[in-house]
Amino acid sequence: MAQSQEKPDVEQGGLERKMETRHLTMISLGGVIGTGLFLSSGYTIHQAGPLGAIIAYAIGSLLVYFIMLSLGELSVAMPYAGSFHLYAKRFIGPGTAFTIAVLYWLNWAVALASEFTAAGLLMQRWFPHSPAWIWSAVFIAVVFLLNILSVRLYGESEFWFASIKVFAIVAFIVIGLLAMFGAIPIAGYDHAPMFENFYSDGWLPNGVLPIFSTLLTVVFAFSGTEVVGVAAGETKDPSKAIPKAVHTTVLRLAIFFIGSIAVMAVLIPWHKSGVDTSPFVLVFQSIGMPFAGDIMNFVVLTAVLSAANSGLYVCSRMVWSLAQEGMIPRKLAKTNFHGVPVFAVMFSMAGSLLALLSSVVAASTVYLALVAVSGLATLVVWASVSVCHLRFRHQWLAQGHTVGELKYRAPGYPFVPIAAIVMCVGALVLVICDPSQRSTLLYMIPFVALCYAGYYASVAWRKKRDAADSSTGVTPAGAGSDNGPGTGPDNAGRQR
């Protein structure tokens, strides 16, 4: 039986509930707002046109909202660290749970490697004669220390990292609106630009199809919002913090992403938009802001460190959760006196460093395969959350409970999870239809099969070992329950 949600102290195998609502919200924002918005958003406008880009981001925001509603209900009912695979274990199957956890861990481990590389390269703007690897090593040490010392320190650092990014986006939108209505002069215009760039070459200059071709990029740009579910097990009063974080996160993401895209589209002609330079830098330079490049370099560096900080946190909690369940060696679940799973953090950092090494030594083979496999992990996790939501609610009602007993219930059920599943499947279809993305499936399918085979082979080996131990009178070490601790629908929504 799981412990009470109201208890703020040590929970779940040594993890502590130290994070507050503001930490949870900023962690979710920090996991999403990164180089994709600051550097690559101009490419979306260039491909789909101004209105097309806004439509694509609006569809992406809707999918994220559906996923977060489902995740909110599950996380309040069952607030456990590493929640995705625990839900999948209970409502889909242990093999699927293991595969989802490995995919998600790999996704963030590979992302960590790329973030550390990017941080080193960004520093070369200010220190052009210094080797990038030295700066990468410095940032690796900083992120490792932030994660190893205490969960509250991680939450606090992520709060401030994300705050800098949020401030930069708000400033960008405000300055852009002032320039749009003629309050600030902007290079290339002798009048207020207003919405001229939206319709000067037609509302959809490249047609409708680019909206769908860029939709996949947009969906991946929103990956990271689901970190709320991973952090639920270390959050004070999850029944209040998680729903608030869910709604505020999605609202802010929609405003930040769509607001930024709209400002870029208004002030920069779509065919010149951010192909070689960050659209943020282009706008700031066109209004004559001094040191625009340096300011944005600092903001992007902050975004990179924020993503690395969140990445190591998520990786370590996935490892901790797998170890708690007995799917991998239980030693990795041990925590220090601050409630930090030290071995899980070290294991995850080692994995990211190996990925970083492969990006240097075998970029066209090993690293390419890692990137391809991890690329679809977000879609797999999102789809699994929706499936678990459907099965959870079905089992909850089948056991004689009422919806009113749930501390938080997602509005729009069952439309919300069903629509999310349809949209995730649609995104996978886009992968098949896109020749540049299709190769990811060639790596993904055998890797998933390998994960399932590895899990069931380990189960068979453990059963054989336990049978041998019992025949010799040796008491076997306890293994994780197939249903996960306290994750059954009979416990969900009650005081733990």
Side-chain angles (χ1 to χ4, degrees), residues 204-217:
L204 295 170
N206 292 329
V208 176
L209 286 179
I211 296 175
F212 296 99
S213 64
T214 57
L215 188 58
L216 193 60
T217 303

Side-chain angles (χ1 to χ4, degrees), residues 338-363:
H338 285 305
V340 176
V342 178
F343 293 115
V345 174
M346 294 172 67
F347 179 87
S348 297
M349 180 59 84
S352 71
L353 292 179
L354 287 174
L356 181 60
L357 181 65
S358 71
S359 71
V360 177
V361 177

Side-chain angles (χ1 to χ4, degrees), residues 31-306:
V32 181
I33 301 172
T35 53
L37 176 60
F38 290 119
L39 298 178
S40 306
S41 50
Y43 175 77
T44 307
I45 299 174
H46 185 79
Q47 292 294 109
L51 183 61
I54 291 176
I55 292 172
Y57 274 97
I59 295 172
S61 298
L62 188 63
L63 172 57
V64 168
Y65 184 56
F66 289 163
I67 297 296
M68 292 293 280
L69 287 176
S70 292
L71 186 58
E73 181 173 315
L74 291 168
S75 297
V76 170
M78 298 167 281
Y80 292 98
S83 59
F84 311 131
H85 96 272
L86 286 175
Y87 304 153
K89 187 176 184 181
R90 176 62 184 88
F91 298 111
I92 302 176
T96 301
F98 178 77
T99 302
I100 285 171
V102 171
L103 283 172
Y104 199 64
W105 179 88
L106 185 64
N107 177 42
W108 280 99
V110 172
L112 261 175
S114 63
E115 303 295 356
F116 290 137
T117 301
L121 295 174
L122 287 167
M123 289 301 292
Q124 287 190 314
R125 177 183 175 91
W126 297 312
F127 304 96
H129 302 297
S130 60
W133 70 265
I134 291 180
W135 294 110
S136 295
V138 169
F139 293 129
I140 287 169
V142 169
V143 169
F144 180 74
L145 287 174
L146 289 175
N147 275 265
I148 208 77
L149 294 178
S150 78
V151 67
R152 185 173 179 82
L153 179 61
Y154 158 75
E156 202 65 39
S157 61
E158 188 56 32
F159 174 82
W160 290 107
F161 278 148
S163 295
I164 292 172
K165 295 189 288 187
V166 168
F167 177 79
I169 293 170
V170 171
F172 175 78
I173 293 174
V174 171
I175 292 171
L177 288 174
L178 290 173
M180 171 183 166
F181 290 105
I184 297 176
I186 182 168
Y189 295 92
D190 54 6
H191 59 282
M194 300 299 287
F195 296 98
E196 185 179 310
N197 283 329
F198 268 88
Y199 54 79
S200 58
D201 294 319
W203 289 105
L204 295 170
N206 292 329
V208 176
L209 286 179
I211 296 175
F212 296 99
S213 64
T214 57
L215 188 58
L216 193 60
T217 303
V218 170
V219 167
F220 291 143
F222 281 111
S223 64
T225 49
E226 69 286 336
V227 173
V228 166
V230 179
E234 295 172 272
T235 303
K236 291 181 182 178
D237 198 1
S239 62
K240 292 181 181 178
I242 293 171
K244 187 175 180 181
V246 164
H247 291 289
T248 56
T249 297
V250 173
L251 179 63
R252 291 177 189 180
L253 281 178
I255 292 172
F256 294 158
F257 272 82
I258 296 176
S260 298
I261 293 292
V263 168
M264 293 173 204
V266 163
L267 300 179
I268 308 170
W270 67 270
H271 48 81
K272 297 180 181 176
S273 185
V275 180
D276 301 311
T277 309
S278 165
F280 282 73
V281 174
L282 286 176
V283 170
F284 284 146
Q285 285 178 340
S286 62
I287 62 173
M289 177 178 284
F291 307 111
D294 289 321
I295 291 171
M296 282 313 302
N297 199 62
F298 171 74
V299 172
V300 173
L301 178 63
T302 304
V304 164
L305 293 178
S306 170

